[in-house]
Amino acid sequence: MVDINRITERLKNSEKFIHPHSVSVAGRLVRVVGLTLEAVGVKAAVGSQCLVETSQGELIAEIVGFAQDITFLMPEQSLQGVLPGARVVPLSTKARLPLSMDLLGRVIDGVGKPLDGKGPIKASDSYQYDSTPINPLSRRAITEPLDVGVRSINSFLTVGVGQRMGLFAGSGVGKSVLLGMMTRGTNADVIVVGLIGERGREVKEFIEEILGEEGRARSVVVAAPADNSALMRLKGCETAVQISEYFRDQGLNVLLLVDSLTRYAQAQREIALAVGEPPATKGYPPSVFSKLPQLVERAGNGGDGQGSISAFFTVLTEGDDLQDPIADAARAILDGHIVLSRKLADAGHYPAVDIEGSISRVMPMVTSQEHQQLARQLRQIYALYQENKDLIAIGAYSRGTDPRIDQSIDLQPVIQFFLQQKTLEIIPYDQSLTQLQEVLAAAQAHANKNQ
């Protein structure tokens, strides 16, 4: 057991180590538990940064909690080189993120440092990570559709400018590819991509193959892959949102893509459990479910004179379980969800959007009555076929029994073609609506023919 009183008394008599940006005398490390540092003698607020002495220089860590005289810190980098009794120096200012229009076309890490080898980013402004949320009564209403260049979403799940959508899928069903399609097809002014907790290999693939040169020119990519510390993954997601807020404040319409919200929640779980917070729901502490809405609510329309943040947060459904705690919590705080079906992906149907299990809650506010009626009619025809698919496959259904089912069988190839799209193909909103009308016209002609 560590004798805190003895260590504190020794610190009072030890040499005082003052850093140029410090606010007090140094504390000292007393224990390293897992990924958490425990120190005594540190007098600073939660969220403050500290410099920790190591054999390889100084390490930046953030205060994430305290218990009596012990302060808990979470490092931004690896703990390699940390020494017993190492000095811990609180810094006088909170971490701020440098921001400017020069961020466009750049790739940065979770705290804003360049990863692309193109030199430092010239900052015209800087924000703190914990920015003040917009008064909900000051936000503009969602009234305009957002073109994402994907026919199935434009037609059946129309997204509004300033909407927050969830992209729910298991691993390997095309989340990243769909995000790349939206970056190339959107009419947003700026695209901010947060790659949080993903495999490092996928970061370069997304930038070079999925995003492409055209998409990258108006994008900012924040990369905090899986091998980063939990604090860096947490910061990476908050950095992506903070950059989006900066561009929104400049009057621009921003498309924010975060892959994934689940990794953000898992990073917070690691930190919370490390400092002793008890698990509540399937291993997730209560602070996880508190942080999710705080992050999501920062997206959306701004006030007068500001732009908007239209956001897509991917949610990893482990084992394709849509009742996963994070999926369930995200579904409650988002403005709609798009479900990617593994069954469709396995059948070579891309993008694998399950239009029956997906919904856009603001579609009625950004589309015409005619558009809504067309989408509803085609959805009903599609759902009727899916409901009777097994009977049709085994030959238990006889043609002529129900004209509606006959119609759904005949139109199924057309509907399947309509819902699929090539990866590099961009189908604008107006064209999507025109093609939807053509499919329904074919359905009406089929119905008239069989009357």
Side-chain angles (χ1 to χ4, degrees), residues 31 36 47 51 71 76 91 115 119 133 168-169 197 292 317 377 384 391 402 421 434:
R31 189 164 63 164
T36 310
L51 290 178
T71 301
E76 289 185 357
L91 301 181
L115 292 174
F168 291 68
L292 286 177
T317 53
Q377 289 177 359
L384 183 62
L391 292 176
D402 188 333
Q421 187 172 330
T434 299

Side-chain angles (χ1 to χ4, degrees), residues 235-364:
K235 288 289 187 185
C237 201
E238 294 170 356
T239 293
V241 175
Q242 186 69 76
I243 292 171
S244 301
E245 289 176 321
Y246 169 76
F247 286 118
R248 180 196 62 195
D249 293 345
Q250 310 307 309
L252 301 174
N253 291 328
V254 181
L255 177 64
L256 170 64
L257 307 173
V258 175
D259 187 13
S260 69
L261 192 65
T262 304
R263 304 301 187 198
Y264 173 80
Q266 289 173 346
Q268 173 60 23
R269 176 175 65 179
E270 288 181 37
I271 294 173
L273 294 178
V275 299
E277 186 178 355
T281 307
K282 290 189 177 180
Y284 287 98
S287 63
V288 172
F289 301 100
S290 173
K291 270 189 167 293
L292 286 177
Q294 291 175 13
L295 181 80
V296 170
E297 283 296 324
R298 291 169 65 180
N301 280 337
D304 294 335
Q306 294 181 322
S308 65
I309 303 175
S310 307
F312 284 84
F313 297 92
T314 71
V315 179
L316 183 63
T317 53
E318 299 181 3
D320 297 325
D321 179 15
L322 293 176
Q323 306 308 317
D324 175 85
I326 300 304
D328 197 45
R331 197 163 41 236
I333 58 179
L334 293 167
D335 301 324
H337 55 273
I338 298 172
V339 177
L340 298 186
S341 166
R342 185 173 299 278
K343 185 179 293 185
L344 290 174
D346 291 343
H349 183 294
Y350 288 102
V353 176
D354 179 6
I355 61 172
E356 289 186 287
S358 307
I359 188 172
S360 171
R361 292 190 177 122
V362 305
M363 184 175 175

Side-chain angles (χ1 to χ4, degrees), residues 27-96:
R28 289 192 182 274
L29 286 181
V30 294
R31 189 164 63 164
V32 176
V33 182
L35 299 176
T36 310
L37 304 176
E38 297 182 6
V40 293
V42 178
K43 303 295 182 182
V46 172
S48 300
Q49 286 191 319
C50 297
L51 290 178
V52 180
E53 178 186 40
T54 75
S55 62
Q56 302 172 1
E58 293 174 337
L59 172 73
I60 296 178
E62 183 175 306
I63 297 177
V64 294
F66 58 86
Q68 297 181 345
D69 294 331
I70 299 180
T71 301
F72 302 112
L73 302 101
M74 187 67 65
E76 289 185 357
Q77 296 91 22
S78 167
L79 288 175
Q80 188 172 0
V82 173
L83 304 167
R87 289 172 288 191
V88 181
V89 185
L91 301 181
S92 59
T93 57
K94 278 195 171 184
R96 298 180 69 89

